[in-house]
C-alpha cells in the first residue's frame, strides 16, 4: 500500500511491499490508533499496520476471505467474507465476531448474501453491503434477521432500477446511497426509499 500527498511526484510504502501482503482488497485509516486496517484477501486475514512502523504488520483476525472492511465510531470492525457469505462485527482481540448480515448460506433471499463486497455502517449501526452476484445493495438494521433491498435487486442491467456488479458504497447523513457499479461504469445515487437511481458520473 502506498501513500502520498496530492500533487506529489511519488508516494511512499505505508504497508507491505516485501511480499507481506497478498492481494489486499480494502483498507481503512484509524487516526485515533495511528494505524491502518487492511483486508489481506489472499492470506485470509485482517492486518493492523501501525503508521509509525511501516515494516511490520500484525494479524488481528484470521480465517476471513475479506473483500470489504469498515469501522464504526466505537472502533468495531465490520468485515465482509465472500466465502462464508456474511458480514461480521469484530472487536479487536475477539476470536469469533458476531454475524450482522447474511450467514445463512449463499443465495438471494433477504436473509442471505451472494458475493458480499464493500460495507458501510451508519450512525444507527445499520449495515449496508453491496452484493456483486445479486446486483443489489442491502441494509441490515442493527439486530435484524433479514436485510432490506435499498438499491437494485431487479436483475442485472443498466436501467435506473438495476445495478450491474455494485462495489463501493457510501451513505450520507440523509440516508442517500452512492454506488460504484463496475459493470455499468458509473456512479449512481439512490435517495432514501427510491426505486430508481440517478446517474452522477458515467452517463455516456
Amino acid at each position: 500500500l502506498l501513500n502520498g500527498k496530492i500533487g506529489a511526484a511519488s508516494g511512499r510504502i505505508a504497508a507491505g511491499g516485501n511480499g507481506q501482503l497478498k492481494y489486499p482488497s480494502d483498507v481503512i485509516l484509524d487516526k485515533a490508533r495511528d494505524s491502518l486496517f487492511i483486508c489481506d484477501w489472499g492470506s485470509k486475514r485482517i492486518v493492523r499496520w501501525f503508521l509509525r512502523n511501516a515494516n511490520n504488520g500484525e494479524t488481528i483476525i484470521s480465517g476471513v476471505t475479506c473483500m470489504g472492511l469498515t469501522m464504526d465510531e466505537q472502533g468495531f470492525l465490520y468485515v465482509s467474507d465472500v466465502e462464508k457469505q456474511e458480514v461480521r462485527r469484530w472487536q479487536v482481540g475477539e476470536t469469533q465476531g458476531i454475524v450482522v448480515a447474511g450467514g445463512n448460506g449463499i443465495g438471494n433471499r433477504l436473509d442471505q448474501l451472494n458475493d458480499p463486497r464493500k460495507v458501510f455502517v451508519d450512525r444507527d449501526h445499520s449495515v449496508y453491503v453491496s452484493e456483486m452476484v445479486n446486483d443489489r445493495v442491502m441494509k441490515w438494521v442493527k439486530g435484524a434477521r433479514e436485510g432490506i433491498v435499498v438499491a437494485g435487486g431487479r436483475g442485472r442491467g443498466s436501467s435506473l432500477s438495476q445495478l450491474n456488479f455494485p462495489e463501493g458504497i457510501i451513505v450520507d447523513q440523509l440516508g442517500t446511497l452512492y454506488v460504484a457499479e463496475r459493470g455499468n461504469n458509473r456512479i449512481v445515487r439512490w435517495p432514501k426509499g427510491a426505486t430508481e437511481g440517478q446517474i452522477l458520473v458515467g452517463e455516456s
Side-chain angles (χ1 to χ4, degrees), residues 110-144:
L110 294 179
D111 67 343
Q112 294 178 310
L113 298 173
N114 194 339
D115 200 357
R117 291 289 171 141
K118 303 307 178 187
V119 185
F120 183 89
V121 179
D122 67 16
R123 291 181 175 179
D124 297 323
H125 298 101
S126 292
V127 175
Y128 295 77
V129 54
S130 59
E131 294 182 69
M132 190 73 85
V133 175
N134 282 336
D135 296 294
R136 67 187 184 184
V137 177
M138 299 289 287
K139 175 182 178 180
W140 293 66
V141 176
K142 184 177 180 181

Side-chain angles (χ1 to χ4, degrees), residues 10 13 49 66 85 103 115 118 158 160 165 179 202:
S10 62
I13 296 175
W49 218 286
C66 171
Q85 308 296 334
D115 200 357
K118 303 307 178 187
S158 59
L160 292 179
F165 280 12
V179 185

Side-chain angles (χ1 to χ4, degrees), residues 60-62 88 90-98:
I60 59 168
I61 300 172
S62 298
R88 279 183 186 257
W90 299 79
Q91 189 168 23
V92 175
E94 284 184 334
T95 57
Q96 292 297 323
I98 298 170

Side-chain angles (χ1 to χ4, degrees), residues 122 128 139 170-178 190-193:
D122 67 16
Y128 295 77
K139 175 182 178 180
I170 293 176
V171 181
D172 68 17
Q173 293 179 1
L174 298 175
T176 302
L177 169 69
Y178 298 81
W190 290 69
K192 187 175 182 179

Side-chain angles (χ1 to χ4, degrees), residues 10 19 21 39 44 48 50 87 102 116 127 135-136 142 144 152 161 166 168 170 189-190 194 203:
S10 62
L21 297 174
C39 274
K44 294 188 175 184
R48 176 168 53 192
F50 292 101
V87 177
V127 175
D135 296 294
R136 67 187 184 184
K142 184 177 180 181
S161 65
I170 293 176
R189 173 176 58 201
W190 290 69
E203 181 105 38

Side-chain angles (χ1 to χ4, degrees), residues 158 160 181 183-188 198-204:
S158 59
L160 292 179
E181 291 183 69
N184 283 329
N185 300 299
R186 66 188 186 186
I187 309 295
V188 183
Q198 304 161 347
I199 299 173
L200 296 182
V201 182
E203 181 105 38
S204 57

